[in-house]
Amino acid sequence: MKIYKAKDYADMSRKAANILSAQVIMKPDCVLGLATGSTPIGVYNQLVEWYNKGDIDFAQVRTVNLDEYCGLSPDNVHSYAYFMRKYLFDRVNISLSNTNIPDGLAENGELECIRYDKVIQKLGGVDMQLLGLGHDGHIGFNEPEEAFEKSTHVAVLKPETRQANQRFFGEGEEVPTQAITMGIKSIMQARKILLIVSGEDKAAILARALEGPVTPRIPASILQLHNDVTVVADTAALSFIKS
Ligand code: F6R
């Protein structure tokens, strides 16, 4: 596992964007696994800036997103489909038909999960998976459990996760209670993983994930078993790491 220390959020975003853009340069038709949330926004802004300068080309890039809320349509401003268009897809030359996000409106969640795993398989797997880290150690919406959930599944969101995500929703607007998420196995099958973490509030969980025992109680701890993980985190987030 390589850990790159960034000065602050802006530096973390630039460093992580550099790694993603190197991936796109080396394999223009690569499959990027993408994340939402506040952590990757700076990364996407940086990629858009480089795209505008002509330094990165998304024409052949394919993407799969980690997760989507159940019950939200792609036009709902709180959906992850909307987020991805807003921060990346509508700002670069990616073909929307090359982008994949679980269907939050699928009538049958279980069938949608099976369909999504097949999509990833058909793409030949993920070349580089971008991940953020939840305060409880979740990756995607793989919440702390007694056992690792393997493939794409419908996850019931923990109250803490719903509370953490309330900041994206308006007053009186409910955060959905369920989401479709790629599972731990799908994430671990990515050829490379890029974990980005920022802020003091993530320092304790980052240390437990990277240096503590591997346990489904801290889903991100499974990353210790992957052979190509790069962590880009700022000084604040790395403040509890011993090594
Ligand atoms: C988002 C996702 C989540 C977030 C995590 C951290 O697609 O899968 O695991 O990465 O909740 O969110 P932020 O970056 O908002 O702290």
Side-chain angles (χ1 to χ4, degrees):
M1 183 178 294
K2 296 177 272 292
I3 302 181
Y4 294 112
K5 191 183 262 191
K7 280 199 301 277
D8 49 25
Y9 178 78
D11 192 30
M12 177 208 74
S13 302
R14 219 168 21 245
K15 283 183 164 62
N18 256 305
I19 293 169
L20 280 166
S21 81
Q23 171 66 61
V24 174
I25 289 164
M26 286 189 296
K27 188 177 176 191
D29 64 345
C30 65
V31 178
L32 297 179
L34 298 177
T36 58
S38 45
T39 316
I41 292 176
V43 176
Y44 296 148
N45 286 338
Q46 183 63 78
L47 291 174
V48 170
E49 199 182 311
W50 288 335
Y51 164 74
N52 287 330
K53 282 190 186 157
D55 288 341
I56 179 166
D57 180 10
F58 289 88
Q60 296 178 64
V61 170
R62 282 98 39 90
T63 66
V64 284
N65 260 79
L66 279 170
D67 40 22
E68 180 59 285
Y69 287 118
C70 291
L72 300 193
S73 79
D75 293 330
N76 185 304
V77 293
H78 302 307
S79 73
Y80 287 163
Y82 189 95
F83 175 103
M84 289 310 302
R85 289 200 308 276
K86 177 175 172 187
Y87 289 106
L88 188 66
F89 299 160
D90 284 353
R91 300 163 78 198
V92 299
N93 65 333
I94 199 162
S95 161
L96 278 183
S97 59
N98 282 341
T99 67
N100 298 279
I101 301 183
D103 178 3
L105 288 184
E107 261 177 47
N108 184 327
E110 303 306 321
L111 285 183
E112 173 58 9
C113 295
I114 294 169
R115 182 197 71 84
Y116 203 66
D117 276 335
K118 280 195 187 139
V119 166
I120 299 171
Q121 219 176 34
K122 236 173 141 182
L123 287 170
V126 174
D127 289 299
M128 181 172 282
Q129 176 68 56
L130 179 65
L131 294 178
L133 178 67
H135 287 104
D136 59 1
H138 69 237
I139 47 177
F141 273 127
N142 292 276
E143 298 276 27
E145 299 292 353
E146 296 309 319
F148 290 112
E149 284 271 10
K150 297 184 187 78
S151 46
T152 300
H153 59 279
V154 177
V156 177
L157 306 187
K158 300 264 184 228
E160 311 86 73
T161 299
R162 295 183 65 222
Q163 203 182 336
N165 289 358
Q166 185 68 53
R167 69 192 192 279
F168 297 112
F169 289 70
E171 225 175 276
E173 284 180 315
E174 290 259 312
V175 180
T177 52
Q178 293 187 328
I180 294 180
T181 180
M182 271 165 64
I184 291 293
K185 184 171 154 202
S186 342
I187 293 172
M188 288 294 280
Q189 278 176 338
R191 288 181 264 283
K192 295 177 208 145
I193 291 181
L194 175 58
L195 175 68
I196 53 173
V197 194
S198 169
E200 212 181 334
D201 55 316
K202 300 268 178 85
I205 192 66
L206 182 61
R208 288 179 74 190
L210 302 188
E211 299 186 329
V214 174
T215 163
R217 304 301 312 163
I218 315 249
S221 64
I222 192 83
L223 299 177
Q224 295 178 39
L225 304 182
H226 193 283
N227 62 15
D228 196 340
V229 176
T230 302
V231 181
V232 182
D234 59 19
T235 317
L238 287 170
S239 56
F240 282 35
I241 297 279
K242 291 191 214 91
S243 48

